[in-house]
Amino acid sequence: MSTQLHYDIVGSFLRPAALKQAREQFARGELDQAGLTKVEDAAIKDLVAKEAAAGLKVVTDGEFRRSYWHLDTFWGFGGIKHTTQARGYLFHDEETRNDSAQVSGKITFTGSHPDLTAFKYLKTLTDGTELIPRQSLPAPAQLYAELVRGPENVAALRKVYLTDDALFVDLAKAYRDLILALYEAGCRDLKLDDCTWGMVVDDDFWSLMAGAGFDRESLQAIYLKLNNAAIKDLPADLRVSTHVCRGNYHSTWAAKGGYGPVADYLLAQENVAAFYLEFDDDRSGDFAPLAKVPAEKEVVLGLVTSKRPALEEPEVLKARIKEASQYVPLAHLALSTQCGFASTEEGNQLTEAEQWAKIKLVIDVAKEVWPATK
């Protein structure tokens, strides 16, 4: 995001009906991979045109080739297999599907990773335009959290990696290799989506999930080490950001709590250029933790919810931006939705028209708050 561009999106979009139908046909064996890819290509081409028409300068493929915002990426690495668990992720009002990712061998990047293939197609749609194609990846910390999710995953992990140190080396290298391959393919804007920080701030979640021998501090140190190792010494013209939320599934949430408990690690020390932070309701806490953000970094305020169709009041958004500017200079702030519209293919409970109305609100308010924005 240029300092002249003060509006943005998180990146996932509601799946159009034709794409949903094609994925169902593919699952039933009525459509082959080539047929599904053709439908995906058409849907992504249409989406990018709509993003540009809406006034967005940074565009995504809507994550239209994924079922999940995170697991599809994990399954694309060598040494990771697709598994299921007895239960899905437990959200406030729903339980998700029960898919998971498990270690099956040494973790490596392969040149056929689906996110690399997906980005190469997105890049063809932006070539010759001023649009910036963004690639989103679940953060390395998120993969670690999945690999130690439940006793079966931990048991599989220890068959391959006797120590966490060996795991961390391979995991960070696999990510870094993927990121460098994306760069070679033309990616200059990379976002790491990361719910781990949004989970660890929740004391109720923490008391449920923390095992013997772990504490919040040690886990934060692991998350920070993994993420920073994966993005170490990258090309200077690759903008790396991170998005943190507390869960987004079919308009429900998983965790609650402000950013205070993780500010000294995430906000003060993660080596990204910008933080995309969820601030759309009381679950997110206040803006005070933003005081920990280093002076040169940007904060993208996720004040507009992607979970509900009702539009926020512009004057309320302006007031909240002004409040946040007590901690981060206004010039280093931007406005966005608090999360994507479809972190999984189920999507949130709003229509496509309501989705685009949310984006229009973000852009309109941003242009009033920052008149010089493009």
Side-chain angles (χ1 to χ4, degrees):
M1 180 185 68
S2 163
T3 55
Q4 298 302 308
L5 181 62
H6 292 277
Y7 53 85
D8 214 329
I9 54 171
V10 172
S12 65
F13 283 85
L14 296 172
R15 301 337 190 230
L19 178 57
K20 288 184 177 182
Q21 181 181 20
R23 289 186 68 89
E24 290 169 359
Q25 291 173 328
F26 179 76
R28 294 194 298 263
E30 299 168 2
L31 187 68
D32 62 12
Q33 181 62 60
L36 176 59
T37 299
K38 184 177 180 180
V39 175
E40 291 171 343
D41 288 352
I44 293 166
K45 184 176 182 179
D46 181 62
L47 173 66
V48 170
K50 289 178 178 177
E51 290 177 271
L56 293 171
K57 308 300 182 184
V58 179
V59 299
T60 76
D61 66 2
E63 301 177 14
F64 280 2
R65 301 188 198 276
R66 298 181 185 175
S67 180
Y68 294 88
W69 66 276
H70 59 327
L71 293 175
D72 299 74
T73 296
F74 302 160
W75 298 328
F77 287 116
I80 303 288
K81 67 178 181 179
H82 181 171
T83 61
T84 57
Q85 296 203 355
R87 301 290 301 272
Y89 304 102
L90 300 178
F91 276 62
H92 182 62
D93 296 313
E94 289 190 48
E95 181 177 338
T96 73
R97 287 173 282 140
N98 64 342
D99 298 288
S100 186
Q102 198 174 90
V103 169
S104 59
K106 292 288 187 179
I107 300 172
T108 61
F109 162 72
T110 67
S112 59
H113 194 287
D115 287 344
L116 178 58
T117 303
F119 177 80
K120 287 179 178 178
Y121 178 72
L122 176 63
K123 182 71 166 54
T124 67
L125 301 178
T126 62
D127 285 343
T129 75
E130 294 184 354
L131 299 174
I132 300 171
R134 171 177 294 151
Q135 180 63 41
S136 295
L137 300 175
Q142 195 74 48
L143 175 51
Y144 170 77
E146 191 67 31
L147 298 181
V148 296
R149 177 185 161 215
E152 290 184 1
N153 281 7
V154 172
L157 173 65
R158 292 305 171 212
K159 289 180 180 178
V160 178
Y161 292 101
L162 298 180
T163 68
D164 276 350
D165 285 344
L167 168 67
F168 294 164
V169 169
D170 284 359
L171 195 158
K173 184 178 187 303
Y175 260 89
R176 193 166 183 278
D177 288 347
L178 171 57
I179 293 168
L180 289 173
L182 287 164
Y183 181 85
E184 288 300 315
C187 181
R188 296 297 180 270
D189 191 307
L190 179 81
K191 176 170 58 67
L192 299 176
D193 293 318
D194 199 347
C195 283
T196 56
W197 305 99
M199 300 299 128
V200 79
V201 301
D202 187 333
D203 289 333
D204 292 337
F205 174 89
W206 188 249
S207 64
L208 176 68
M209 298 299 292
F214 281 93
D215 59 39
R216 187 159 19 206
E217 294 290 317
S218 64
L219 199 53
Q220 288 187 78
I222 289 172
Y223 294 162
L224 183 69
K225 177 180 179 179
L226 281 170
N227 289 347
N228 279 347
I231 59 177
K232 182 180 179 182
D233 297 329
L234 294 174
D237 61 340
L238 175 60
R239 176 183 184 267
V240 180
S241 62
T242 191
H243 167 250
V244 176
C245 82
R246 296 159 185 79
N248 182 41
Y249 177 80
H250 204 218
S251 292
T252 63
W253 51 271
K256 62 185 185 302
Y259 292 102
V262 298
D264 286 332
Y265 286 85
L266 169 68
L267 301 182
Q269 299 184 66
E270 187 152 314
N271 294 327
V272 293
F275 297 96
Y276 289 65
L277 301 175
E278 177 183 58
F279 280 114
D280 64 322
D281 59 23
D282 291 342
R283 285 186 303 107
S284 306
D286 60 27
F287 295 127
L290 297 182
K292 297 287 186 177
V293 176
E296 74 280 3
K297 298 191 176 184
E298 299 168 349
V299 173
V300 184
L301 301 169
L303 301 177
V304 175
T305 189
S306 67
K307 290 180 166 65
R308 297 177 299 279
L311 291 176
E312 289 79 357
E313 290 293 333
E315 295 307 314
V316 173
L317 295 176
K318 293 175 192 176
R320 297 202 69 199
I321 293 168
K322 183 177 180 180
E323 183 184 352
S325 71
Q326 298 174 43
Y327 304 98
V328 176
L330 187 63
H332 290 179
L333 292 174
L335 178 64
S336 78
T337 50
Q338 100 336 298
C339 198
F341 293 97
S343 297
T344 69
E345 62 184 316
E346 284 84 355
N348 285 345
Q349 296 181 33
L350 69 172
T351 66
E352 289 190 45
E354 290 164 342
Q355 165 185 267
W356 292 107
K358 289 279 182 174
I359 292 172
K360 183 178 187 301
L361 175 65
V362 167
I363 295 173
D364 288 348
V365 170
K367 288 186 174 180
E368 289 187 38
V369 175
W370 298 275
T373 198
K374 296 176 181 177

Short mmCIF file of all heavy atoms in Angstrom, two decimals, residues 22-54:
data_model
loop_
_atom_site.label_atom_id
_atom_site.label_comp_id
_atom_site.label_asym_id
_atom_site.label_seq_id
_atom_site.Cartn_x
_atom_site.Cartn_y
_atom_site.Cartn_z
N ALA A 22 -19.44 -25.58 -9.83
CA ALA A 22 -18.33 -26.32 -10.43
C ALA A 22 -17.56 -27.12 -9.38
O ALA A 22 -17.16 -28.27 -9.62
CB ALA A 22 -17.40 -25.36 -11.16
N ARG A 23 -17.36 -26.54 -8.20
CA ARG A 23 -16.63 -27.25 -7.14
C ARG A 23 -17.44 -28.45 -6.65
O ARG A 23 -16.88 -29.51 -6.34
CB ARG A 23 -16.31 -26.29 -5.99
CG ARG A 23 -15.24 -25.26 -6.34
CD ARG A 23 -14.83 -24.45 -5.13
NE ARG A 23 -14.13 -25.25 -4.16
CZ ARG A 23 -12.81 -25.44 -4.14
NH1 ARG A 23 -12.05 -24.90 -5.08
NH2 ARG A 23 -12.24 -26.16 -3.20
N GLU A 24 -18.76 -28.30 -6.59
CA GLU A 24 -19.60 -29.43 -6.21
C GLU A 24 -19.53 -30.54 -7.26
O GLU A 24 -19.45 -31.73 -6.92
CB GLU A 24 -21.04 -28.96 -6.03
CG GLU A 24 -21.24 -28.07 -4.80
CD GLU A 24 -22.60 -27.40 -4.79
OE1 GLU A 24 -23.38 -27.61 -5.75
OE2 GLU A 24 -22.88 -26.64 -3.84
N GLN A 25 -19.54 -30.16 -8.53
CA GLN A 25 -19.44 -31.15 -9.61
C GLN A 25 -18.08 -31.85 -9.57
O GLN A 25 -17.99 -33.07 -9.78
CB GLN A 25 -19.65 -30.46 -10.96
CG GLN A 25 -21.07 -29.97 -11.20
CD GLN A 25 -21.19 -29.16 -12.47
OE1 GLN A 25 -20.26 -28.46 -12.87
NE2 GLN A 25 -22.35 -29.25 -13.12
N PHE A 26 -17.05 -31.10 -9.29
CA PHE A 26 -15.70 -31.66 -9.20
C PHE A 26 -15.64 -32.68 -8.05
O PHE A 26 -15.07 -33.77 -8.19
CB PHE A 26 -14.68 -30.54 -8.97
CG PHE A 26 -13.26 -31.02 -8.84
CD1 PHE A 26 -12.54 -31.42 -9.95
CD2 PHE A 26 -12.65 -31.08 -7.59
CE1 PHE A 26 -11.23 -31.87 -9.83
CE2 PHE A 26 -11.34 -31.51 -7.46
CZ PHE A 26 -10.63 -31.91 -8.59
N ALA A 27 -16.23 -32.32 -6.91
CA ALA A 27 -16.22 -33.21 -5.75
C ALA A 27 -16.97 -34.52 -6.03
O ALA A 27 -16.59 -35.58 -5.52
CB ALA A 27 -16.84 -32.51 -4.55
N ARG A 28 -17.99 -34.45 -6.88
CA ARG A 28 -18.77 -35.65 -7.22
C ARG A 28 -18.16 -36.43 -8.38
O ARG A 28 -18.69 -37.47 -8.78
CB ARG A 28 -20.20 -35.26 -7.59
CG ARG A 28 -21.01 -34.68 -6.44
CD ARG A 28 -22.50 -34.64 -6.80
NE ARG A 28 -22.77 -33.80 -7.96
CZ ARG A 28 -23.16 -32.53 -7.90
NH1 ARG A 28 -23.31 -31.94 -6.72
NH2 ARG A 28 -23.40 -31.84 -9.00
N GLY A 29 -17.07 -35.92 -8.94
CA GLY A 29 -16.44 -36.59 -10.07
C GLY A 29 -17.10 -36.32 -11.40
O GLY A 29 -16.83 -37.00 -12.40
N GLU A 30 -17.95 -35.29 -11.46
CA GLU A 30 -18.67 -34.95 -12.69
C GLU A 30 -17.92 -33.91 -13.52
O GLU A 30 -18.33 -33.60 -14.64
CB GLU A 30 -20.06 -34.42 -12.34
CG GLU A 30 -20.92 -35.43 -11.60
CD GLU A 30 -22.18 -34.82 -11.01
OE1 GLU A 30 -22.39 -33.59 -11.22
OE2 GLU A 30 -22.94 -35.54 -10.33
N LEU A 31 -16.83 -33.37 -12.97
CA LEU A 31 -16.03 -32.36 -13.65
C LEU A 31 -14.57 -32.63 -13.35
O LEU A 31 -14.21 -32.88 -12.19
CB LEU A 31 -16.42 -30.95 -13.16
CG LEU A 31 -15.81 -29.74 -13.87
CD1 LEU A 31 -16.35 -29.64 -15.30
CD2 LEU A 31 -16.12 -28.46 -13.10
N ASP A 32 -13.72 -32.62 -14.39
CA ASP A 32 -12.30 -32.90 -14.13
C ASP A 32 -11.57 -31.62 -13.74
O ASP A 32 -12.14 -30.52 -13.73
CB ASP A 32 -11.65 -33.56 -15.35
CG ASP A 32 -11.66 -32.67 -16.60
OD1 ASP A 32 -11.98 -31.47 -16.51
OD2 ASP A 32 -11.35 -33.20 -17.69
N GLN A 33 -10.28 -31.75 -13.40
CA GLN A 33 -9.51 -30.60 -12.93
C GLN A 33 -9.44 -29.51 -13.99
O GLN A 33 -9.54 -28.32 -13.67
CB GLN A 33 -8.10 -31.04 -12.53
CG GLN A 33 -7.24 -29.90 -12.00
CD GLN A 33 -7.81 -29.28 -10.74
OE1 GLN A 33 -7.98 -29.95 -9.72
NE2 GLN A 33 -8.11 -27.99 -10.77
N ALA A 34 -9.27 -29.89 -15.24
CA ALA A 34 -9.20 -28.89 -16.31
C ALA A 34 -10.50 -28.10 -16.40
O ALA A 34 -10.50 -26.87 -16.60
CB ALA A 34 -8.90 -29.56 -17.65
N GLY A 35 -11.62 -28.79 -16.24
CA GLY A 35 -12.91 -28.12 -16.28
C GLY A 35 -13.10 -27.17 -15.12
O GLY A 35 -13.62 -26.06 -15.28
N LEU A 36 -12.67 -27.60 -13.93
CA LEU A 36 -12.77 -26.74 -12.75
C LEU A 36 -11.87 -25.51 -12.91
O LEU A 36 -12.29 -24.39 -12.61
CB LEU A 36 -12.38 -27.51 -11.50
CG LEU A 36 -12.35 -26.70 -10.19
CD1 LEU A 36 -13.70 -26.07 -9.90
CD2 LEU A 36 -11.88 -27.57 -9.03
N THR A 37 -10.65 -25.72 -13.39
CA THR A 37 -9.73 -24.61 -13.58
C THR A 37 -10.29 -23.58 -14.55
O THR A 37 -10.14 -22.37 -14.35
CB THR A 37 -8.37 -25.12 -14.08
OG1 THR A 37 -7.81 -25.99 -13.09
CG2 THR A 37 -7.40 -23.98 -14.33
N LYS A 38 -10.95 -24.05 -15.60
CA LYS A 38 -11.55 -23.13 -16.58
C LYS A 38 -12.61 -22.24 -15.92
O LYS A 38 -12.66 -21.03 -16.16
CB LYS A 38 -12.17 -23.93 -17.73
CG LYS A 38 -12.74 -23.07 -18.85
CD LYS A 38 -13.27 -23.94 -19.98
CE LYS A 38 -13.85 -23.07 -21.11
NZ LYS A 38 -14.37 -23.92 -22.22
N VAL A 39 -13.43 -22.84 -15.06
CA VAL A 39 -14.45 -22.05 -14.35
C VAL A 39 -13.79 -21.08 -13.37
O VAL A 39 -14.19 -19.92 -13.26
CB VAL A 39 -15.42 -22.99 -13.62
CG1 VAL A 39 -16.42 -22.18 -12.78
CG2 VAL A 39 -16.17 -23.87 -14.61
N GLU A 40 -12.77 -21.55 -12.66
CA GLU A 40 -12.04 -20.68 -11.73
C GLU A 40 -11.43 -19.50 -12.46
O GLU A 40 -11.52 -18.34 -12.00
CB GLU A 40 -10.95 -21.48 -11.01
CG GLU A 40 -11.46 -22.50 -10.02
CD GLU A 40 -10.37 -23.41 -9.49
OE1 GLU A 40 -9.27 -23.48 -10.11
OE2 GLU A 40 -10.61 -24.08 -8.46
N ASP A 41 -10.78 -19.77 -13.59
CA ASP A 41 -10.15 -18.69 -14.37
C ASP A 41 -11.17 -17.62 -14.75
O ASP A 41 -10.92 -16.42 -14.62
CB ASP A 41 -9.50 -19.25 -15.64
CG ASP A 41 -8.24 -20.05 -15.37
OD1 ASP A 41 -7.77 -20.06 -14.22
OD2 ASP A 41 -7.72 -20.68 -16.32
N ALA A 42 -12.33 -18.06 -15.23
CA ALA A 42 -13.36 -17.11 -15.66
C ALA A 42 -13.87 -16.30 -14.48
O ALA A 42 -14.07 -15.07 -14.59
CB ALA A 42 -14.50 -17.85 -16.34
N ALA A 43 -14.07 -16.95 -13.34
CA ALA A 43 -14.57 -16.26 -12.16
C ALA A 43 -13.56 -15.24 -11.64
O ALA A 43 -13.93 -14.13 -11.23
CB ALA A 43 -14.92 -17.26 -11.06
N ILE A 44 -12.29 -15.60 -11.66
CA ILE A 44 -11.23 -14.69 -11.19
C ILE A 44 -11.08 -13.51 -12.14
O ILE A 44 -10.92 -12.36 -11.70
CB ILE A 44 -9.91 -15.46 -11.02
CG1 ILE A 44 -10.04 -16.47 -9.86
CG2 ILE A 44 -8.74 -14.51 -10.79
CD1 ILE A 44 -8.94 -17.50 -9.81
N LYS A 45 -11.15 -13.76 -13.42
CA LYS A 45 -11.07 -12.66 -14.39
C LYS A 45 -12.20 -11.66 -14.17
O LYS A 45 -11.99 -10.44 -14.18
CB LYS A 45 -11.12 -13.22 -15.82
CG LYS A 45 -10.95 -12.15 -16.90
CD LYS A 45 -10.92 -12.80 -18.29
CE LYS A 45 -10.71 -11.73 -19.37
NZ LYS A 45 -10.66 -12.35 -20.72
N ASP A 46 -13.39 -12.17 -13.94
CA ASP A 46 -14.54 -11.30 -13.68
C ASP A 46 -14.37 -10.54 -12.37
O ASP A 46 -14.68 -9.34 -12.29
CB ASP A 46 -15.81 -12.15 -13.64
CG ASP A 46 -17.06 -11.32 -13.40
OD1 ASP A 46 -17.37 -10.47 -14.25
OD2 ASP A 46 -17.73 -11.51 -12.37
N LEU A 47 -13.84 -11.21 -11.35
CA LEU A 47 -13.63 -10.57 -10.06
C LEU A 47 -12.63 -9.42 -10.16
O LEU A 47 -12.88 -8.33 -9.63
CB LEU A 47 -13.12 -11.58 -9.03
CG LEU A 47 -12.72 -10.98 -7.68
CD1 LEU A 47 -13.92 -10.40 -6.95
CD2 LEU A 47 -12.01 -12.01 -6.81
N VAL A 48 -11.51 -9.64 -10.82
CA VAL A 48 -10.50 -8.60 -10.95
C VAL A 48 -11.08 -7.38 -11.67
O VAL A 48 -10.81 -6.22 -11.30
CB VAL A 48 -9.24 -9.13 -11.65
CG1 VAL A 48 -8.28 -8.00 -11.99
CG2 VAL A 48 -8.54 -10.16 -10.76
N ALA A 49 -11.88 -7.61 -12.68
CA ALA A 49 -12.53 -6.49 -13.37
C ALA A 49 -13.44 -5.73 -12.42
O ALA A 49 -13.49 -4.48 -12.45
CB ALA A 49 -13.33 -7.01 -14.57
N LYS A 50 -14.16 -6.43 -11.56
CA LYS A 50 -15.04 -5.78 -10.59
C LYS A 50 -14.22 -5.02 -9.53
O LYS A 50 -14.62 -3.92 -9.11
CB LYS A 50 -15.94 -6.81 -9.91
CG LYS A 50 -17.02 -7.37 -10.83
CD LYS A 50 -17.85 -8.43 -10.11
CE LYS A 50 -18.96 -8.95 -11.00
NZ LYS A 50 -19.74 -10.05 -10.34
N GLU A 51 -13.11 -5.58 -9.10
CA GLU A 51 -12.25 -4.90 -8.14
C GLU A 51 -11.74 -3.58 -8.72
O GLU A 51 -11.75 -2.54 -8.05
CB GLU A 51 -11.07 -5.79 -7.75
CG GLU A 51 -11.45 -6.99 -6.91
CD GLU A 51 -10.26 -7.89 -6.61
OE1 GLU A 51 -9.98 -8.81 -7.41
OE2 GLU A 51 -9.60 -7.66 -5.59
N ALA A 52 -11.29 -3.64 -9.96
CA ALA A 52 -10.79 -2.43 -10.62
C ALA A 52 -11.91 -1.40 -10.78
O ALA A 52 -11.73 -0.21 -10.53
CB ALA A 52 -10.19 -2.78 -11.97
N ALA A 53 -13.10 -1.87 -11.18
CA ALA A 53 -14.23 -0.95 -11.37
C ALA A 53 -14.65 -0.31 -10.05
O ALA A 53 -15.12 0.83 -10.03
CB ALA A 53 -15.40 -1.71 -11.99
N ALA A 54 -14.48 -1.03 -8.95
CA ALA A 54 -14.83 -0.49 -7.64
C ALA A 54 -13.84 0.57 -7.17
O ALA A 54 -14.13 1.31 -6.23
CB ALA A 54 -14.90 -1.62 -6.62
#
